[in-house]
Amino acid sequence: PSGGPPGLQADPGAGDPPVHGRPQAGTSGAESVATTLKLADDESSSDRVRRSLHAAKVADRMGLWHEAVRHYTSAVESGSGDADASFRLAVLLRKTDGDPRMSLDHLRRATILRPERVEYRRELAGLYEELGFAASARGQREQIRQLRETAPSKRFWQFW
């Protein structure tokens, strides 16, 4: 076994690249690691981000929060521009780190990337409140109110 959490490793027999520490059939462990490193070098930045996001989501669903934080961090630091990754990273940091300030930058980033997402603003307002920034929390709640007022009615769209 590679030592990683179950469910996060590729199956080399299924056409996926070899996993660190798991030799492919007919190769030594050293050859397998060398092949994996070469594949990682050849892999584009967007492929690495996509792979990190996938691993993070799997770990998150399995409750492996520290592992998910590691992968979300990798994706966010690679410049993914993925608001959901920033949001999930912030939420998981609040669960695992204990220091709510660690989440603040990621929640702000998610809200900037997707300003229409009410759940991002709600989480940010709660964090502002927790940190003692009452005016900022009120500002986010006002933004939520405005978003709800300007959102098209769900009932209206049902008739189309």
Side-chain angles (χ1 to χ4, degrees):
S2 68
L8 293 181
Q9 283 132 26
D11 179 5
D16 290 330
V19 176
H20 292 284
R22 184 190 295 170
Q24 278 197 269
T27 64
S28 72
E31 289 171 350
S32 178
V33 170
T35 302
T36 302
L37 292 175
K38 181 176 178 350
L39 287 171
D41 288 341
D42 292 344
E43 190 176 46
S44 73
S45 176
S46 62
D47 289 339
R48 280 192 297 274
V49 168
R50 214 173 10 261
R51 189 177 300 259
S52 291
L53 287 173
H54 176 72
K57 289 173 185 177
V58 169
D60 195 356
R61 279 192 300 262
M62 293 176 68
L64 302 169
W65 294 331
H66 290 285
E67 185 73 13
V69 164
R70 185 172 65 82
H71 290 294
Y72 279 127
T73 299
S74 174
V76 167
E77 288 176 354
S78 296
S80 73
D82 188 306
D84 288 331
S86 292
F87 176 74
R88 287 301 306 155
L89 177 57
V91 169
L92 290 172
L93 283 171
R94 287 183 79 182
K95 284 182 182 179
T96 60
D97 186 39
D99 183 359
R101 293 172 294 183
M102 294 294 294
S103 302
L104 190 56
D105 286 339
H106 298 293
L107 276 174
R108 285 178 177 160
R109 183 172 194 261
T111 304
I112 288 168
L113 290 170
R114 299 286 304 274
E116 76 282 3
R117 298 292 297 262
V118 170
E119 64 270 25
Y120 295 178
R121 291 187 179 277
R122 188 179 308 119
E123 187 77 19
L124 184 56
L127 182 57
Y128 278 144
E129 194 74 39
E130 184 179 331
L131 294 172
F133 302 123
S136 295
R138 280 192 302 275
Q140 288 302 315
R141 289 191 183 98
E142 175 60 23
Q143 290 291 324
I144 292 168
R145 187 188 62 73
Q146 289 176 10
L147 284 169
R148 288 187 174 151
E149 286 178 0
T150 60
S153 169
K154 289 180 183 175
R155 186 177 203 86
F156 172 79
W157 293 109
Q158 289 176 353
F159 295 109
W160 287 99

